[in-house]
Structures are given as structure tokens and as C-alpha cells.
């Protein structure tokens, strides 16, 4: 066994670099797809329980979740970008560099999370108004948002832990821990909402407890002195030669995620022109769409780690094999799951409408359009996995910024002012933007693959 590397880690690295690629992608990607699905169910059940409080609470959760996503982009972007380099160093078998990158990443994310908390918490109301949040949603959701800022700090560290476990192939551990945290979250939320008759802020407290539980296991599994993937204070370094590559790879990811979420808040603000219930319907539609796209994101995350490891080991043929397998799996999943949701749309939408027929119909009208983009988004996920794995994050930035600011907001403005689609415009714009994003991603992917083949002298 290599010094500082567990037998399990050594076995995974060997499989990642040598085993049949379909088996590798399924082994890593399937638990991550299930993990992402559970995360989406987490969000959906939050929305369902919020609907038990009031329809306005559904809209508040949908709107404020996007604002939280803007802020969480810093932590998730750092975790993804630096995770690429951790996977690459793992593939290169440079285990000392793995240790230094992991430890420094934890320190950077903790500092970033605390900085955001101290900056925004005292002025949370002004921040929500600056973001264009409707006054009725501020009144309903400001206490919820303040607690979500605390959740944010914990989630920054949780994101690092998940990224590190993904790099070492511990997808099943991620799944098990997420199952535990989801269970705790659901029990607490049900207790607060249905038994104690609490308000929206109690849902945020349940989230804080759940994320803190994940952090407990992150600390527990990261303090082993012999674990190269653990936290070692002596390995923390802010020297330029260590942090500069991590920041260079991460900042486009941070920016793309923040801008993407910010763009979605703009869409929510525009949707509010059709009424507060339309904002809620769009949020529910996005949640239903996430049942399809979040598993695709799980395969994307797993494939990105595999691609990065094989790139580090200088195995270009396997890099392209991983892309092709991921493309097939993501598009197939998109077709099957979105088709099933469309068949079950009426009972699914009824779970969120709280005996409000007009709201249920609004959800159905929006989602029927959004579902049409599920298969193209599968292709987009495969391209993103390739780009992340190769460290081509400037292209992922271009794709995600274009998705919102080129293909979504201008199209929504056109639909709103030049057509009679009404509230259905929210669904139409989701389909159009997702389809055009997939086209752009495939064009960029083909260009990158052509150049990659040329550099590595592949046929």
C-alpha cells in the first residue's frame, strides 16, 4: 500500500484508471445521482411543507432559495474548482499535493463563509430589497433568510467534504450520509410545521440541524492523521503557488453559479408580474424539473472527477470514453424520468397546491413546457463534465451565463411583451433556454474534443 493512501483509495484509483469505463461511471455516478435526487426531494418536501403554512410561503422559499444559491456559489465554486485539481493530483499520484490542497480548501471555505455571514446578516432586509424581492415575500421570508445565512457557513464546509469524498470515489458514503441528514431534516420539519404549528423560519432551523449533522461526520472523517484526504492544520498554506491554481480554476465556477442564480432571481422578479402564485408555480416546476436534472448533475460530478483523474494519469482515450458514456446515460435518464413525470403530473402537482385548483393548473401549465428540455440538458451535463474534468472552466462560465442572460431573460422579455402566453411564458422560456444552452454546449464540446484529439494525437 502506498504511504498515506488507504487500501480502499488505492483500489479506487486503480479502477478509475483501468476498469471498463461504463462500470466506473456507474459505480461513481449512480450513488451521486441518487444523492442529487435526494437533495432535490429535500427541496420539494420543504416546498410541500411550506405550502401547509401558506401559498405565500411557497413563493418565499422558491424566491429566497435562489438568493441563497447566489451566495453559496462561492463555497460550491471553490469546492468544485479545487476538487478538480485534487482529483488531478490524485491521478498523478502526488499525494502530498492532495493533502495540501484539501487542507487549504477547508480553510478558504471557512473564511469565505464567515465573511459572507458577517457582511450580510446585519443588513439582510436591505439586501433582499436590493435583490428585487417583493415586499410581501420580505415580510414572510426575512427571518427564514437570516437563518439560511447560518446554514450557508456550514454548507460551505460540507461542500468541501463532499467534493473530497467524490474525488476519492466514496460516492456510497456521500449517499449514506445524505440519507441520514435527509431523514433528520424531514423529521424536524414535520415536527415544527405539523405538530408545533411553526412558521417558515422553523424550516430553516431544520436545515441548519441537518447540515450541522453532515458537518459532524465531515469533521469525524477528516481528522485522521494518516488520511491524505483529511484536514491537517500544518498542511494549510496560502502560498501563491498553491492557492493561485485553485482560485484560477474556481473563480469561473463561482462566477457562473452566482450569475446563474442571480439570473434566476431576475426571472422570478419578472414572473412576479403575473402574480405571487406564478412565482410559486415556477419554483415548483423547477423542483419537478430537478427530479430529472439533478441525477444528471450527479453523473456529471462523478464523470468530472473520473475525467480529471485520467487526465492527471495521462490517459486521454479514457477521458473521451468517460464523456461518451456520460452523454448516453444523462440523455437516457432525461427521457425516462421526464416522461414519467409528465404521465404523473396531475397527482404530483396536487402535492404542492394545498387544495388550490388554480395554483395546481398553473404548475402543470409551466412544467409541461419545462419538461421538454430534459433530454437536451442531459447532453449539456455531459459536456460540462468534460469541461470541468479538463479544467476548462472558462467555457462552463460562458455556457451558464449564456443560458440565463442570452437565452432566458431576453426570451422572457419577448414572450411577456410580444405574445399572449401569459403565465405559461415561465415554462416556455425554460424550454427555449435549456434547448439553446444544450446546442451551445455541444458546439463548444465538439471544439474542445477536436483540439484535445489533436494535442494527444488521437484519431
Amino acid at each position: 500500500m502506498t504511504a498515506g493512501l488507504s487500501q480502499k483509495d488505492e483500489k479506487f484509483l486503480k479502477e478509475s484508471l483501468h476498469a471498463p469505463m461504463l462500470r466506473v461511471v456507474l459505480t461513481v455516478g449512480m450513488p451521486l445521482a441518487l444523492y442529487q435526487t435526494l437533495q432535490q426531494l429535500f427541496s420539494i418536501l420543504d416546498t410541500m411543507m411550506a405550502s401547509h403554512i401558506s401559498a405565500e410561503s411557497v413563493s418565499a422559499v422558491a424566491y429566497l432559495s435562489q438568493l441563497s444559491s447566489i451566495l453559496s456559489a462561492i463555497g460550491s465554486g471553490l469546492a468544485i474548482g479545487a476538487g478538480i485539481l485534487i482529483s488531478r493530483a490524485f491521478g498523478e499520484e502526488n499525494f502530498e499535493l492532495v493533502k495540501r490542497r484539501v487542507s487549504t480548501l477547508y480553510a478558504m471555505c471557512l473564511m469565505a463563509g464567515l465573511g459572507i455571514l458577517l457582511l450580510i446578516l446585519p443588513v439582510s432586509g436591505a439586501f433582499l430589497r436590493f435583490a428585487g424581492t417583493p415586499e410581501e415575500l420580505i415580510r414572510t421570508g426575512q427571518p427564514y433568510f437570516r437563518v439560511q445565512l447560518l446554514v450557508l457557513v456550514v454548507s460551505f464546509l460540507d461542500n468541501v467534504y463532499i467534493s473530497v469524498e467524490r474525488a476519492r470515489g466514496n460516492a456510497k458514503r456521500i449517499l449514506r450520509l445524505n440519507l441520514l441528514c435527509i431523514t433528520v431534516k424531514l423529521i424536524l420539519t414535520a415536527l415544527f410545521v405539523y405538530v408545533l404549528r411553526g412558521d417558515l423560519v422553523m424550516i430553516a432551523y431544520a436545515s441548519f440541524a441537518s447540515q450541522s449533522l453532515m458537518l459532524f461526520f465531515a469533521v469525524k472523517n477528516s481528522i485522521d492523521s494518516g488520511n491524505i484526504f483529511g484536514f491537517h492544520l500544518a498542511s494549510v498554506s496560502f502560498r501563491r503557488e498553491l492557492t493561485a491554481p485553485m482560485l484560477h480554476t474556481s473563480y469561473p465556477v463561482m462566477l457562473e453559479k452566482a450569475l446563474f442564480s442571480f439570473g434566476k432571481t431576475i426571472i422570478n422578479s419578472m414572473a412576479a408580474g403575473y402574480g405571487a402564485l406564478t412565482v410559486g408555480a415556477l419554483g415548483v416546476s423547477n423542483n419537478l424539473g430537478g427530479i430529472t436534472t439533478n441525477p444528471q448533475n450527479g453523473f456529471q460530478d462523478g464523470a468530472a472527477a473520473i475525467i480529471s483523474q485520467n487526465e492527471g494519469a495521462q490517459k486521454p482515450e479514457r477521458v473521451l470514453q468517460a464523456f461518451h458514456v456520460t452523454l448516453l446515460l444523462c440523455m437516457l435518464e432525461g427521457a425516462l424520468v421526464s416522461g414519467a413525470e409528465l404521465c404523473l403530473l396531475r397527482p404530483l402537482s396536487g402535492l404542492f397546491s394545498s387544495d388550490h385548483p388554480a395554483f395546481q393548473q398553473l404548475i402543470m401549465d409551466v412544467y409541461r413546457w419545462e419538461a421538454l428540455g430534459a433530454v437536451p440538458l442531459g447532453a449539456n451535463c455531459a459536456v460540462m463534465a468534460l469541461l470541468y474534468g479538463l479544467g476548462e472552466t472558462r467555457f462552463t462560465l460562458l455556457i451558464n451565463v449564456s443560458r440565463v442572460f442570452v437565452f432566458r431573460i431576453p426570451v422572457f422579455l419577448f414572450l411577456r411583451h410580444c405574445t399572449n402566453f401569459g403565465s405559461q411564458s415561465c415554462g416556455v422560456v425554460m424550454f427555449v433556454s435549456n434547448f439553446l444552452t444544450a446546442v451551445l454546449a455541444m458546439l463548444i464540446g465538439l471544439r474542445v474534443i477536436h483540439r484535445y484529439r489533436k494535442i494527444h494525437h488521437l484519431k
Side-chain angles (χ1 to χ4, degrees):
M1 184 172 67
T2 306
L5 193 67
S6 71
Q7 187 174 10
K8 183 178 180 181
D9 290 333
E10 193 167 16
K11 178 183 178 182
F12 168 71
L13 181 59
K14 182 178 179 180
E15 289 183 352
S16 177
L17 302 181
H18 301 287
M21 188 52 68
L22 178 60
R23 190 178 82 192
V24 176
V25 173
L26 286 174
T27 299
V28 178
M30 187 62 75
L32 291 176
L34 291 173
Y35 159 71
Q36 290 280 4
T37 301
L38 290 171
Q39 285 288 83
Q40 186 61 24
L41 292 175
F42 188 131
S43 177
I44 288 174
L45 290 169
D46 259 3
T47 305
M48 289 171 57
M49 293 184 187
S51 72
H52 184 78
I53 300 172
S54 68
E56 289 74 19
S57 293
V58 175
S59 296
V61 169
Y63 196 100
L64 297 177
S65 293
Q66 295 303 328
L67 291 180
S68 297
S69 296
I70 295 174
L71 301 175
S72 68
I74 296 175
S76 61
L78 269 172
I80 291 172
I84 293 168
L85 298 182
I86 291 169
S87 292
R88 187 167 300 172
F90 189 31
E92 293 169 351
E93 300 187 27
N94 188 341
F95 303 129
E96 180 60 31
L97 182 57
V98 170
K99 183 190 296 187
R100 289 193 289 133
R101 282 177 172 167
V102 168
S103 299
T104 302
L105 179 58
Y106 271 115
M108 292 168 67
C109 283
L110 177 60
M111 292 168 59
L114 291 175
I116 290 174
L117 179 68
L118 295 175
L119 183 65
I120 296 179
L121 187 62
V123 293
S124 57
F127 177 81
L128 293 176
R129 289 184 179 89
F130 175 76
T133 309
E135 282 296 326
E136 63 268 26
L137 297 187
I138 293 177
R139 288 193 298 271
T140 303
Q142 184 177 356
Y144 170 87
F145 180 71
R146 290 171 67 89
V147 178
Q148 283 295 108
L149 290 175
L150 297 174
V151 176
L152 194 72
V153 179
V154 180
S155 70
F156 273 26
L157 299 176
D158 291 346
N159 285 335
V160 176
Y161 176 64
I162 290 170
S163 182
V164 170
E165 293 290 12
R166 186 166 56 232
R168 64 195 297 198
N170 280 342
K172 291 181 180 179
R173 174 181 287 180
I174 295 173
L175 177 61
R176 288 195 302 270
L177 289 178
N178 194 64
L179 275 171
L180 176 62
C181 293
I182 288 289
T183 302
V184 170
K185 160 68 175 175
L186 294 181
I187 291 173
L188 289 177
T189 303
L191 174 65
F192 293 154
V193 173
Y194 298 116
V195 179
L196 301 180
R197 305 292 181 182
D199 56 12
L200 192 60
V201 72
M202 301 303 289
I203 294 179
Y205 283 129
S207 296
F208 181 75
S210 174
Q211 293 290 336
S212 297
L213 180 61
M214 176 69 80
L215 181 60
F216 168 79
F217 285 102
V219 173
K220 177 178 178 292
N221 294 328
S222 300
I223 58 176
D224 182 1
S225 60
N227 177 12
I228 66 167
F229 290 98
F231 176 78
H232 306 274
L233 185 60
S235 296
V236 175
S237 171
F238 296 103
R239 295 176 65 88
R240 180 180 176 83
E241 58 266 25
L242 181 66
T243 58
M246 295 168 67
L247 291 173
H248 179 74
T249 305
S250 298
Y251 89 83
V253 185
M254 290 187 279
L255 188 58
E256 77 178 59
K257 289 185 175 296
L259 288 175
F260 183 72
S261 295
F262 178 64
K264 292 181 78 172
T265 66
I266 296 175
I267 293 294
N268 283 337
S269 296
M270 295 168 67
Y274 294 111
L277 287 183
T278 300
V279 177
L282 179 58
V284 172
S285 178
N286 291 164
N287 280 334
L288 292 175
I291 296 176
T292 301
T293 58
N294 276 34
Q296 293 172 339
N297 292 335
F299 281 112
Q300 172 187 306
D301 291 342
I306 294 165
I307 288 170
S308 185
Q309 287 158 5
N310 281 274
E311 174 68 4
Q314 300 182 6
K315 293 181 175 291
E317 297 92 347
R318 289 182 63 80
V319 166
L320 296 181
Q321 287 176 16
F323 165 71
H324 292 136
V325 168
T326 306
L327 179 65
L328 174 63
L329 291 175
C330 286
M331 294 186 71
L332 181 61
E333 186 275 345
L336 293 176
V337 178
S338 63
E341 284 191 280
L342 286 172
C343 292
L344 299 171
L345 185 54
R346 183 165 295 278
L348 286 174
S349 59
L351 295 174
F352 303 93
S353 55
S354 189
D355 297 323
H356 195 312
F359 188 38
Q360 180 179 13
Q361 187 60 48
L362 194 55
I363 293 169
M364 294 171 64
D365 290 342
V366 173
Y367 180 69
R368 284 193 181 101
W369 283 101
E370 184 171 350
L372 299 177
V375 174
L377 281 181
N380 178 66
C381 279
V383 174
M384 296 293 277
L386 177 67
L387 297 176
Y388 281 137
L390 296 178
E392 297 281 7
T393 51
R394 68 189 189 279
F395 286 127
T396 65
L397 173 62
L398 172 62
I399 291 169
N400 276 324
V401 169
S402 297
R403 183 176 180 179
V404 174
F405 293 96
V406 178
F407 302 139
R408 188 163 294 177
I409 293 175
V411 173
F412 200 178
L413 287 170
F414 172 80
L415 291 171
R416 183 173 176 181
H417 296 289
C418 302
T419 72
N420 295 320
F421 276 107
S423 296
Q424 289 190 55
S425 297
C426 297
V428 175
V429 73
M430 297 299 291
F431 163 64
V432 172
S433 63
N434 290 341
F435 177 78
L436 293 178
T437 298
V439 172
L440 174 62
M442 288 302 295
L443 291 174
I444 290 175
L446 290 172
R447 178 179 181 273
V448 170
I449 290 172
H450 176 75
R451 186 183 64 187
Y452 189 76
R453 288 182 178 278
K454 187 175 181 181
I455 291 173
H456 292 281
H457 307 291
L458 301 176
K459 293 182 180 180

